[in-house]
Amino acid sequence: MTPSLPRTVRAVDTAQLLDLAQEAAMHSFSQRLPVDWLREHLAAEATHYLFPTLVQRLTHRPEMPLQWRCQQLLTVNTGEEIWGLLDVLPDTFDKIPETLDTASKKEIVNRIEHAVTVREWMERMTDGQSEETTSP
């Protein structure tokens, strides 16, 4: 029986998010950002948010454990919030304490829906750097 997808948002600090990304890398989950990228770009003292949206079961790879595909709202070192995806083991997600009230969860989901994606943010950052190096 497949565990039911929780309809909640969980808050994690940067160290916890790095641990989640490391676990996802260890299991070769498809939706994750590289841990080194996260270390380089996340705001060190920020709170990040995970919102499970999909049960991920790889029937063509039965050795892979069931995962929750979470939308994540990340705060990067520029102070901006960006949107990405992270696959998390259900037991791991369940161990993250429930700390947010209903109104906060709704507001965070709204912020996720309006955030730029990791890819869009990276493209913008790359474009900004190339403009700086080509300016007279």
Side-chain angles (χ1 to χ4, degrees):
M1 182 174 139
T2 301
S4 60
L5 189 69
R7 301 307 300 165
T8 189
V9 176
R10 299 281 169 88
V12 295
D13 64 21
T14 298
Q16 290 170 303
L17 189 69
L18 291 171
D19 289 344
L20 293 169
Q22 186 66 45
E23 181 176 72
M26 183 180 71
H27 288 288
S28 301
F29 291 165
S30 60
Q31 291 301 317
R32 60 186 166 81
L33 293 166
V35 175
D36 289 341
W37 187 94
L38 292 167
R39 271 194 198 98
E40 179 181 347
H41 295 288
L42 290 182
E45 301 301 318
T47 300
H48 314 282
Y49 302 97
L50 299 171
F51 176 50
T53 56
L54 176 76
V55 176
Q56 177 73 356
R57 180 184 301 279
L58 302 177
T59 55
H60 65 289
R61 293 182 60 200
E63 75 282 3
M64 292 296 288
L66 178 94
Q67 307 137 49
W68 299 149
R69 175 140 310 153
C70 297
Q71 294 179 2
Q72 56 183 348
L73 186 64
L74 306 171
T75 301
V76 289
N77 50 22
T78 60
E80 298 167 272
E81 291 184 323
I82 61 175
W83 177 89
L85 294 171
L86 178 63
D87 290 343
V88 179
L89 292 170
D91 286 346
T92 300
F93 186 86
D94 289 343
K95 290 175 186 168
I96 301 169
E98 186 80 59
T99 60
L100 302 167
D101 61 30
T102 302
S104 296
K105 291 175 187 179
K106 288 179 182 178
E107 190 262 333
I108 291 162
V109 170
N110 187 50
R111 286 169 31 207
I112 290 171
E113 291 171 353
H114 293 94
V116 299
T117 65
V118 171
R119 176 175 287 178
E120 291 167 334
W121 183 77
M122 286 300 297
E123 288 171 356
R124 194 173 70 222
M125 295 303 290
T126 303
D127 290 346
Q129 289 174 352
S130 63
E131 289 172 14
E132 289 174 14
T133 57
T134 59
S135 297

